[in-house]
Amino acid sequence: FLEMLSNPMLIPVQGTLNVVMNQNVTLSCHSDSGSPPVRYTLFKCSQKVSTLNMPDLTPGLFNLTINSASDVGEYKCKAENNISSGGKYSNSLNFTLIEPISKPVLSSPTSQAKKGQNVTLFCLSENGSLPISYIFFKGRKSISPPVKMRKREAAVIFLFINSPSDFGTYKCRAENSFCNNTKYSNSFNFTLEEERSHSQPLIISLGLILLLFVIGFALAIPFFIIPSYKASE
């Protein structure tokens, strides 16, 4: 008695479709019912990649190497036996190419601050697969929940400078789905902005008034000296 094959299942043996450049991966194509022998054919974007002939219902294993972005296209497999007509096709799979993140850069519009001032910190990794999660730290203590960015934009945190301890060292951490790929930023410190003395504007104003008085007096001298000189003649 010959039985037609069931639709095969195509799955990644490594358990994930996230891959990196030059990674070796294995795809399993398997029909769990039907009469052997079975011929499995793997396709990428409708182009035949490889064929395996199996004497029983064990899975066909296809070994691949991700050498370029074109290798992450759509994959399907087809299962055929002696009574199948046209074969049975599997589900489709698409790999996702994961790029490790670069070291994030921590920056701020200002490097000086004073007590009672609001400041802003930006954290951005220029390279790496999205989404990227960022966490901000002061010293070794996290000061924010993870901020997940799905666009190539900086994560932002707003701080209030309230005490001398707020001028400590800040850092941020970035990570994405690339395995064991966590990067820390440069250190960033705010410096204390010196407050101007309240008497300084008054001194400047008095100085300007005195200067104007001297200039006015100098301009007025000719009008007083010359007429008195003529009168004495």
Side-chain angles (χ1 to χ4, degrees), residues 194-213:
E194 295 183 3
E195 296 187 10
R196 293 181 179 179
S197 171
H198 294 295
S199 62
Q200 188 175 8
L202 179 60
I203 295 173
I204 294 174
S205 299
L206 291 174
L208 289 174
I209 292 172
L210 180 60
L211 179 63
L212 291 173
F213 177 78

Side-chain angles (χ1 to χ4, degrees), residues 8 11 21 57 69 83 86 89 92 106 127 150 154 172 196 211 225 227 231:
I11 60 172
M21 200 68 73
L57 290 179
I83 66 168
Y89 284 87
S92 61
L106 184 64
N127 299 303
R150 300 186 181 278
C172 67
R196 293 181 179 179
L211 179 63
I225 295 178

Side-chain angles (χ1 to χ4, degrees), residues 35-144:
S35 299
V38 183
R39 182 168 64 255
Y40 294 111
T41 304
L42 182 68
F43 296 87
K44 183 177 75 66
C45 301
S46 302
Q47 298 294 318
K48 183 186 293 186
V49 176
S50 182
T51 298
L52 295 172
N53 293 302
M54 308 301 296
D56 49 29
L57 290 179
T58 56
L61 301 178
F62 296 94
N63 297 311
L64 309 170
T65 301
I66 304 301
N67 290 317
S68 67
S70 62
D71 293 328
V72 298
E74 182 186 67
Y75 288 86
K76 282 187 175 184
C77 70
K78 181 175 70 171
E80 301 172 277
N81 64 1
N82 293 332
I83 66 168
S84 61
S85 176
K88 297 291 185 70
Y89 284 87
S90 72
N91 54 298
S92 61
L93 293 180
N94 284 275
F95 289 108
T96 300
L97 189 61
I98 301 297
E99 179 187 3
I101 54 175
S102 58
K103 179 179 178 178
V105 175
L106 184 64
S107 62
S108 174
T110 179
S111 61
Q112 292 187 323
K114 55 188 177 182
K115 186 176 178 180
Q117 182 178 343
N118 293 306
V119 294
T120 308
L121 284 173
F122 299 92
C123 184
L124 175 65
S125 286
E126 291 286 352
N127 299 303
S129 301
L130 298 170
I132 298 176
S133 292
Y134 298 94
I135 299 179
F136 292 86
F137 294 84
K138 186 169 79 67
R140 294 185 177 183
K141 181 181 178 181
S142 64
I143 57 174
S144 75

